[in-house]
C-alpha cells in the first residue's frame, strides 16, 4: 500500500485526484431514472458493471454515452433518461451484476411498476 510520510512542521498544500468509485456510480446511474432531464456523471470508472448498467438503461430507452466537457477538461458519462417508458429489465443483463437491483426503486418511482429478474454477480 502507498503511504505518505511527513516530517517537519511545514504546512501542506496541493491537490490529489480521487478516481470515481463503482459503488458510488451505480446508484447514481439508477437514480437518473427518476428524472426526465439529462444528467452528467463525472469520474465514472470504465468498468464492466458500469457498462452493464449503461446498457440496461439504454434498453429501457435512455441515451447513455461518454462525452467530453471542454470547460471542465475531462470526460463524463451522459445519461438522458427522458424517453424511458419500459418497466422490465431483461434477465440477460441483470444476471451479470447484483447492482441491477438498484433500478427497482427508481423504475417503481417513475413508472409505478417494475419487473426485474433475480440479480446475479
Amino acid at each position: 500500500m502507498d503511504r505518505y510520510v511527513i516530517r517537519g512542521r511545514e504546512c501542506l498544500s496541493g491537490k490529489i485526484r480521487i478516481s470515481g468509485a463503482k459503488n458510488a456510480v451505480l446508484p447514481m446511474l439508477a437514480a437518473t431514472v427518476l428524472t426526465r432531464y439529462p444528467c452528467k456523471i463525472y469520474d465514472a470508472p470504465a468498468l464492466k458493471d458500469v457498462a452493464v448498467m449503461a446498457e440496461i438503461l439504454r434498453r429501457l430507452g435512455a441515451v447513455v454515452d461518454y462525452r467530453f466537457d471542454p470547460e471542465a477538461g475531462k470526460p463524463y458519462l451522459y445519461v438522458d433518461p427522458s424517453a424511458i417508458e419500459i418497466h422490465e429489465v431483461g434477465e440477460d443483463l441483470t444476471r451479470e451484476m447484483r447492482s441491477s437491483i438498484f433500478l427497482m426503486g427508481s423504475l417503481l418511482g417513475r413508472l409505478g411498476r417494475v419487473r426485474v429478474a433475480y440479480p446475479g454477480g
Side-chain angles (χ1 to χ4, degrees), residues 4 9 19 36 42 45 50 68 73 75 79 86-88 103 107 112:
Y4 296 99
R9 296 176 190 242
S19 62
R36 295 187 188 272
Y42 288 88
V50 175
F68 186 78
V79 182
I86 298 169
H87 71 278
E88 188 169 338
L103 288 165
L107 287 169

Side-chain angles (χ1 to χ4, degrees), residues 89-96 117-118:
V89 180
E91 183 177 350
D92 61 325
L93 291 173
T94 57
R95 293 218 181 262
E96 289 194 38
Y118 192 77

Side-chain angles (χ1 to χ4, degrees), residues 32-33 35-39 60-63 78-85 110:
T32 64
V33 173
T35 184
R36 295 187 188 272
Y37 299 99
C39 302
L60 294 173
V63 173
Y78 173 83
V79 182
D80 182 353
S82 60
I84 291 178
E85 295 297 330
R110 178 174 178 148

